[in-house]
Amino acid sequence: MGTIVVGAAVLVIVALAVRSMVKDKKAGKSLQCGGNCKNCGGHCH
């Protein structure tokens, strides 16, 4: 039973991380340039 609870908690954390990454991408931020797209030479988009 403990394994199921821990697995569910990990799944929720991963889902929230993915959701945050998608939200940041839609807002114009990027993992490659840290959200500062004017200094990354146009590789963000």
Side-chain angles (χ1 to χ4, degrees):
M1 186 67 178
T3 304
I4 294 172
V5 172
V6 171
V10 169
L11 186 62
V12 168
I13 292 169
V14 169
L16 289 174
V18 169
R19 183 176 137 201
S20 175
M21 288 169 48
V22 169
K23 185 177 176 184
D24 286 347
K25 185 69 174 174
K26 286 184 180 181
K29 297 179 183 177
S30 177
L31 294 175
Q32 288 84 13
C33 64
N36 191 3
C37 291
K38 69 179 181 179
N39 291 328
C40 75
H43 300 290
C44 292
H45 303 283

